Amino acid sequence: MFVKRFRSALMGVGSAAILAGLLAGCGGGSTTNNTPSGNAPSGTQTQQAAHLPVSAKAGVLRFGIQTDPPQLDPQKSTDLVSFNVINAVMEGLMRVGPDGKPTYGIADKYEISSDGLTYTFHLRDAKWSDGKAITADDFKYAWTRALDPKTASDYAYQLYYIKNGQAFNEGKAKATDLGIQVKDPHTLVVTLEAPTPYFLGLMAFGTYMPAREDIVSKYGDQYFSAPDKAVYDGPFTLTEWQHNAKLVMKKNPSYWNASKVKLDEIDMPIIADTSTEVQEYLSGQLDALDQIPAENISQFQGSPDMVTTPTAATYYLALNVQDPVLKDVHIRKALAMAIDRQQLISGIIKTALPATALVPPGMPGSSPDKSFREEYGDRQYAINDNGKQVLGYFPVFDATQAKQELQKGMQDLGISNPSDVKVTLLYPNRPNAKPVSEAIQAMWQENLGISVNLQQDEWKVHLDTLSKRQQQVGYIDWYGDYNDPMTFIDMFVTNGGNNYTNWSNPQYDALVKDAKTTADTQKRMEDMGQAEKILMDEMPIIPEWYPQVPHAVRNYVKDLAWLTVGGDVDFTWASVQP
């Protein structure tokens, strides 16, 4: 899913000075890796730096966010800001636990058929926030709604695993043909197109959350647009939403596991300016920072408040391959190789690995002892990740090769002067996006001699532009929805809801389809490895870095879970005890 966290001290400085400034930014103290102990959730921080002042209230978590959630309707949402709220107020058949693995949610048990095609979920006695019982029909309705082409859900493809899901979404089957059967109010039987090893993880994903037909019908397009235009089945309810100002969530007394929910309230002020957000944390007005901006990391290094979590994510540039310039693969490769990723990380991002492939390190491979990234890629371009060799498809930076590719592309396009190659990079008003985009602009101009313009948009507008494929180059990222490489690979199928590049390749589509229809783990991984190679050979996207996200958490905040997939934070188990 798309993330929310995208200042510039570099604006107005010449390109050579920008590059020099990035080099001057190298070094500094090391970040702290989270090391869970006892029963604390992974990523939990339990100490506090003495110099940070405190002003807190028991049972109330103050957690700032940097933008208004674009879309809280679970069947329509695609971004991480929204999904973090959705995960707090909604719950699927399963929930991602603090260890990153699916645990029971509205379902309290399940059976899987021996052929892996049929899942039978048994729902516990759970209620909506208005007291009505949650039934299997609520899940069937929500999933059918997500697949209905009239809903126009960008995430409809995440339900193609269900028998006839894709056919129904494409108008080739009826809703009654879907492999979703309500056996009784507490029993849901799901039939799949093919065995799907990560299907239980998907049951915790936002698009699979239940929905009440009477509520959706009552509010129509306004469903989930305000606190009183939805009902909730999660640990919290949304009680206040002042757009572009704040959200407030309170403990849901109707939640089936309410006795284990320790927070009474979550206050989410919307603070667009990251320096203001940091200052509010330092002055004791916030209890946690979802992300420490890169320019502030030095203020937190050495502080026990800082915790850095590995995250299954890739930041990349989405190239519109129908653009008159970017239609040429050599131009796209020139742009990719002219970016010095290590310089971006050392000078701006601080906590990341350079990305020269789509799938990030940590995603499982064909065997338990190797990740997908260790198995697939080109060993010529391997990088080191904690002593392991992770593979990519192109160099972290090669100005000479970039210029060669540019010359090939210019010849294809009949262009003689590099300055006539004009590129506009669209980026959102998120932390790090502006200095990163300015640095990339400088690198492209310095290393290629092309003309580069920058354009900044508000996050919601940025997403809308990308969804309409109206950008030339778009700054974006993807955080894994479940623990399998497919959560990255299937984005770029032809006409995929999150394929913002206009790129299409029939062989790629066929490999993705094959990987989704075989139970053979080795074959699945090989298919995805081949598909990723095609993507990188044709370069409709330019991977930039794999983030290691730095957070700040007070010592009195316990068991706040930072997740690797399916969202980046879960408040279910958290408490505030000042």
Side-chain angles (χ1 to χ4, degrees), residues 208-440:
Y208 281 89
M209 301 291 183
R212 281 252 302 277
E213 185 173 6
D214 61 322
I215 299 296
V216 177
S217 298
K218 179 178 180 180
Y219 295 112
D221 290 341
Q222 295 302 303
Y223 174 58
F224 249 108
S225 64
D228 61 351
K229 290 181 170 58
V231 288
Y232 313 97
D233 76 326
F236 303 93
T237 63
L238 183 61
T239 58
E240 185 178 351
W241 186 0
Q242 296 180 27
H243 288 280
N244 297 307
K246 71 174 181 178
L247 291 87
V248 177
M249 295 181 285
K250 293 189 176 182
K251 180 176 177 178
N252 179 5
S254 298
Y255 179 54
W256 69 268
N257 204 21
S259 64
K260 299 293 178 65
V261 177
K262 300 170 186 175
L263 288 177
D264 298 315
E265 183 176 318
I266 304 170
D267 293 344
M268 284 187 163
I270 298 170
I271 309 169
D273 184 83
T274 55
S275 62
T276 301
E277 185 181 26
V278 168
Q279 287 307 309
E280 290 199 7
Y281 179 86
L282 295 175
S283 65
Q285 298 176 65
L286 294 174
D287 304 308
L289 289 178
D290 187 31
Q291 182 185 22
I292 301 172
E295 64 266 32
N296 298 104
I297 285 178
S298 61
Q299 292 177 258
F300 289 85
Q301 283 176 334
S303 163
D305 281 35
M306 180 170 163
V307 54
T308 300
T309 59
T311 304
T314 303
Y315 279 68
Y316 65 95
L317 301 177
L319 309 182
N320 188 341
V321 300
Q322 292 184 0
D323 177 80
V325 172
L326 299 182
K327 67 182 181 181
D328 188 89
V329 67
H330 297 295
I331 299 292
R332 302 198 295 268
K333 288 184 176 182
L335 296 176
M337 294 176 190
I339 297 173
D340 189 334
R341 289 157 182 78
Q342 193 58 59
Q343 209 173 86
L344 287 179
I345 293 166
S346 299
I348 301 174
I349 305 303
K350 307 297 184 184
T351 55
L353 280 175
T356 56
L358 170 62
V359 178
M363 284 280 111
S366 60
S367 62
D369 61 332
K370 278 194 174 182
S371 72
F372 183 87
R373 194 69 286 129
E374 291 175 81
E375 292 186 293
Y376 299 99
D378 187 338
R379 295 192 180 275
Q380 179 183 355
Y381 301 123
I383 61 173
N384 187 283
D385 178 21
N386 292 325
K388 293 185 175 182
Q389 189 181 57
V390 296
L391 308 177
Y393 294 91
F394 54 90
V396 169
F397 170 60
D398 190 327
T400 300
Q401 193 171 347
K403 289 174 182 176
Q404 293 171 353
E405 292 290 344
L406 178 66
Q407 288 300 318
K408 292 177 184 177
M410 290 169 54
Q411 185 174 357
D412 291 345
L413 298 174
I415 297 173
S416 57
N417 192 330
S419 63
D420 291 332
V421 177
K422 301 183 185 300
V423 174
T424 297
L425 171 55
L426 177 69
Y427 67 95
N429 61 337
R430 309 308 313 132
N432 300 338
K434 187 174 183 179
V436 165
S437 298
E438 289 173 344
I440 290 174

